[in-house]
Amino acid sequence: MGGKEKLERFEQAVLPHLNAAYNLARWLTRNEHDAQDMVQEASLRAFKFFDGFHGVDARAWLLTTVRNTCYTWLEQTAAVGHTSFDEEIHTVEEDALNPSALAFKSGDMEMLKESLEELPDEFREVIVLRDLEELSYKQIAEVINAPLGTVMSRLARARGRLKRNSVLAPEGEA
């Protein structure tokens, strides 16, 4: 495939998903400028390896590249923190009742933003991918390279933390 043809195919597949890529990068890096840099770096990596992309879900593929780029950068800057994961204390909640989705619907974005900022990276990313970017559990599992059960557990745990941080609590009950 020629360079021009590759570029056109890449633009058709990837450009529609740059806002989602930036959104994920912004939540992972916690900084607008770093997020822009990460999306640019991820886009360059994605273009470099685009010949190897044969899937149908360019969005998940790009978000995987963005995620990996962000975590590589975070590790290099020693800014990443890891939280232990205990499967026994996690429960699966219904999507319709999750605090982040309800906060989006209620328009209380500032409170949600603050609560999301407090979450560990692994919880924040699944909330962003599910509730902001509306990826399926299967797509999230592909993006973060984790089993489906881990995705569901992380979502449940993240939503539990958001609920405790009063994103979901009615006024006066926080």
Side-chain angles (χ1 to χ4, degrees):
M1 161 182 349
K4 184 176 181 179
E5 185 179 315
K6 177 182 176 181
L7 179 60
E8 288 174 2
R9 215 174 116 242
F10 178 80
E11 288 175 345
Q12 286 178 341
V14 173
L15 289 183
H17 308 296
L18 286 181
N19 285 340
Y22 172 78
N23 195 30
L24 177 60
R26 171 63 183 88
W27 284 108
L28 292 177
T29 63
R30 300 179 184 203
N31 179 292
E32 181 179 329
H33 299 292
D34 291 337
Q36 291 170 352
D37 290 346
M38 293 302 98
V39 170
Q40 183 175 9
E41 177 68 26
S43 297
L44 291 171
R45 287 183 188 183
F47 183 71
K48 181 178 179 182
F49 297 103
F50 190 65
D51 290 332
F53 172 69
H54 301 293
V56 292
D57 194 349
R59 184 177 186 202
W61 181 75
L62 177 63
L63 291 177
T64 301
T65 305
V66 168
R67 178 185 184 268
N68 292 341
T69 301
C70 287
Y71 279 126
T72 298
W73 177 79
L74 287 167
E75 287 171 4
Q76 289 172 350
T77 59
V80 71
H82 295 284
T83 301
S84 62
F85 183 75
D86 184 353
E87 190 72 41
E88 292 181 22
I89 63 173
H90 305 301
T91 59
V92 177
E93 298 175 16
E94 294 294 323
D95 274 354
L97 300 176
N98 81 68
S100 50
L102 290 173
F104 289 130
K105 290 177 185 169
S106 73
D108 197 352
M109 294 298 288
E110 192 57 38
M111 181 183 285
L112 178 63
K113 182 180 176 186
E114 290 172 14
S115 294
L116 279 173
E117 289 287 347
E118 294 174 11
L119 289 176
D121 295 341
E122 63 204 26
F123 296 153
R124 190 172 51 254
E125 75 182 356
V126 294
I127 289 288
V128 169
L129 292 170
R130 178 70 183 147
D131 296 332
L132 289 172
E133 298 306 327
E134 300 178 347
L135 266 63
S136 70
Y137 286 31
K138 182 180 178 189
Q139 289 173 314
I140 295 169
E142 290 174 18
V143 169
I144 69 170
N145 193 28
L148 194 57
T150 300
V151 170
M152 295 185 335
S153 295
R154 286 183 185 175
L155 274 168
R157 195 164 179 196
R159 289 171 177 163
R161 285 185 181 207
L162 289 174
K163 188 173 183 178
R164 283 190 301 278
N165 290 344
S166 75
V167 168
L168 185 61
E171 286 187 35
E173 292 184 24

